[in-house]
Amino acid sequence: GENVEQHPSTLSVQEGDSAVIKCTYSDSASNYFPWYKQELGKRPQLIIDIRSNVGEKKDQRIAVTLNKTAKHFSLHITETQPEDSAVYFCALLSGGGADGLTFGKGTHLIIQP
Amino acid sequence: NAGVTQTPKFQVLKTGQSMTLQCAQDMNHEYMSWYRQDPGMGLRLIHYSVGAGITDQGEVPNGYNVSRSTTEDFPLRLLSAAPSQTSVYFCASSYDDRGADTQYFGPGTRLTVL
């Protein structure tokens, strides 16, 4: 199946700074790229997604960028706050006909006060 | 509107036992799926369904069975539990019939196999 590499596995930033998490993939037919946030002991929740016909999407302090040529997409969080501390997962849907999301292994984001 | 519900929340099994994890959604979603989450491994797709009567395998289907007799319910059966199946199991549903839209996750079932 499709493989998605997510980096870094842990990211510690000062409150107010920006955080960037990157995912790379191999299947050029992939066409849907969501990001999920999971707080400790809770279920994953969608925070933003992007489709292959768009290069960037923003929602307040969160943005996602997609580079189809280089096959990577990134999550950007600006002006980080303590409530941003969580594990973030990238995912993608292969365009090859297989259904279901493939997830990265996750990034533990720690916001230092 | 309860969203996606899962039962039980916690379960302990002995090796070789069988059990069914229940999942239900009340959003009339066609797409439902089961994931397992292990430390450092992200979420891995076990089985999914694009509508009643239709199921298919995901990345890690061995040792699990599913059925989809109604739009609302998507149970996951462990046939003969093994310690390697110790994990947190999440059920999810989506409006899009390929899962290419918001996946709504249930609260999860934490399973331990001794």
Side-chain angles (χ1 to χ4, degrees):
Chain A
E2 174 60 73
N3 191 40
V4 55
E5 297 285 333
Q6 182 171 347
H7 297 282
S9 56
T10 303
L11 178 60
S12 181
V13 301
Q14 289 294 126
E15 183 178 347
D17 287 350
S18 296
V20 181
I21 303 168
K22 183 176 177 179
C23 287
T24 59
Y25 61 98
S26 56
D27 182 3
S28 57
S30 297
N31 53 21
Y32 175 64
F33 307 88
W35 285 89
Y36 283 81
K37 175 183 180 182
Q38 186 178 28
E39 296 175 356
L40 188 63
K42 302 284 181 65
R43 70 192 80 185
Q45 291 191 301
L46 180 76
I47 54 171
I48 196 165
D49 58 9
I50 194 168
R51 298 182 191 271
S52 57
N53 57 348
V54 175
E56 182 176 3
K57 184 177 178 181
K58 279 186 179 178
D59 183 4
Q60 300 183 346
R61 296 186 297 108
I62 293 172
V64 56
T65 57
L66 172 64
N67 185 325
K68 288 178 59 181
T69 303
K71 296 181 192 167
H72 64 73
F73 58 111
S74 298
L75 177 70
H76 306 254
I77 305 175
T78 58
E79 300 171 18
T80 53
Q81 300 169 4
E83 55 264 35
D84 295 328
S85 293
V87 179
Y88 292 81
F89 294 97
C90 65
L92 58 80
L93 184 69
S94 172
D99 300 322
L101 296 176
T102 299
F103 282 81
K105 292 189 164 102
T107 296
H108 185 194
L109 177 62
I110 301 164
I111 308 301
Q112 303 279 4
Chain B
N1 208 342
V4 180
T5 58
Q6 290 182 237
T7 56
K9 283 188 168 49
F10 302 93
Q11 183 70 49
V12 179
L13 291 178
K14 293 182 180 176
T15 297
Q17 286 185 315
S18 63
M19 79 159 294
T20 299
L21 279 63
Q22 301 292 345
C23 174
Q25 53 92 9
D26 61 0
M27 296 176 281
N28 203 32
H29 287 167
E30 291 296 330
Y31 183 90
M32 295 186 75
S33 55
W34 277 101
Y35 294 89
R36 60 177 288 172
Q37 184 173 34
D38 303 295
M41 294 295 293
L43 293 115
R44 291 182 292 170
L45 184 64
I46 305 171
H47 285 285
Y48 64 95
S49 169
V50 299
I54 305 168
T55 63
D56 209 341
Q57 297 181 351
E59 180 187 353
V60 288
N62 292 341
Y64 308 95
N65 271 358
V66 292
S67 59
R68 184 95 179 271
S69 55
T70 67
T71 299
E72 294 77 21
D73 300 298
F74 191 43
L76 178 73
R77 296 184 189 82
L78 278 70
L79 309 171
S80 177
S84 60
Q85 293 179 304
T86 293
S87 188
V88 179
Y89 290 85
F90 287 100
C91 177
S93 74
S94 173
Y95 175 75
D96 181 88
D97 63 5
R98 290 194 64 218
D101 203 338
T102 307
Q103 301 249 349
Y104 295 90
F105 284 84
T109 295
R110 186 173 295 274
L111 175 68
T112 301
V113 182
L114 302 175

